[in-house]
Amino acid sequence: MTADPVELTATIFGFVAVALTVKRHIACWPASLVQVSLYIWVFWKARLYSDMGLHVVYVALALYGWINWHRHGVAEGELVVERLTPRTLAGWGGAALAGTFGLGSLLAAYTDAALPFWDSSIAAMSLIAQWLTTRKVLENWLFWIAVDIVGIGVYLAKDLYPTALLYFVFLLLCLAGWREWRRAWRGRLAQPGH
């Protein structure tokens, strides 16, 4: 089977966007805009409607992230990484479960969606992860890691091989992102006055 050129282009921009996010570089946002815009088409064709809708929302979140990072120092090279409290992290986990079952139930009942609950789990966790990324919260990487693990299976099941490969690379980058952002957070704590 020949890979769709739109999917391949989206895959390349996805890799670039996440690699730049790991490095806390503001150019991750325009690369992300290209990636998510192209994936709207890819996921519509694959009948992964939660992923398609998610990528529509990603367009707005990428614009917000770009503006927020620019306003708060990334343009000058400084990204201040924050942490969630255990209670807040648990709340986000509960929101991911609720979103998965709520959206999955709707898609299962009213559409011809392929893999509605798995697809919905990707959407729910991704929205949380993306929001936490725009807010520069370290735990965004934990949600992205979960998304990547589920995504690899879903995209293999739907014969979206370049996308499955991308999500495997994302998984590796997310592990690096967790380590890099945690190092930045610890470095900030070591500074006088923190």
Side-chain angles (χ1 to χ4, degrees):
M1 174 185 267
T2 307
D4 179 353
V6 175
E7 182 186 3
L8 287 174
T9 304
T11 299
I12 292 165
F13 274 93
F15 173 77
V16 170
V18 175
L20 289 169
T21 303
V22 168
K23 294 297 182 186
R24 297 176 289 139
H25 194 288
I26 197 166
C28 67
W29 296 111
S32 180
L33 278 170
V34 173
Q35 175 213 2
V36 299
S37 297
L38 294 174
Y39 266 117
I40 291 169
W41 169 256
V42 171
F43 291 134
W44 176 76
K45 281 179 51 181
R47 293 184 0 253
L48 293 170
Y49 303 129
S50 289
D51 272 330
M52 182 191 74
L54 171 66
H55 282 72
V56 171
V57 174
Y58 274 170
V59 170
L61 286 172
L63 290 170
Y64 171 77
W66 195 355
I67 292 165
N68 191 47
W69 281 30
H70 188 269
R71 278 191 196 153
H72 295 99
V74 174
E76 292 81 37
E78 177 59 32
L79 172 65
V80 177
V81 176
E82 302 294 334
R83 294 287 315 254
L84 295 177
T85 65
R87 183 177 180 174
T88 304
L89 180 58
W92 282 116
L97 287 173
T100 295
F101 289 106
L103 182 57
S105 296
L106 288 172
L107 290 175
Y110 299 109
T111 73
D112 64 344
L115 308 168
F117 289 96
W118 291 109
D119 188 25
S120 295
S121 72
I122 292 169
M125 290 187 297
S126 293
L127 284 173
I128 293 166
Q130 187 73 357
W131 176 253
L132 295 176
T133 303
T134 68
R135 304 302 299 164
K136 300 167 281 188
V137 175
L138 173 63
E139 287 80 5
N140 84 82
W141 296 109
L142 299 177
F143 285 94
W144 285 128
I145 289 166
V147 165
D148 296 335
I149 291 168
V150 173
I152 291 166
V154 167
Y155 303 136
L156 286 173
K158 293 301 295 175
D159 298 329
L160 296 171
Y161 299 114
T163 302
L165 176 61
L166 174 65
Y167 273 64
F168 176 74
V169 173
F170 278 175
L171 179 59
L172 299 177
L173 287 171
C174 287
L175 294 170
W178 169 262
R179 189 174 56 245
E180 176 70 25
W181 283 38
R182 188 174 60 180
R183 184 179 305 130
W185 178 76
R186 285 181 175 165
R188 186 175 66 101
L189 288 181
Q191 294 175 357
H194 286 96

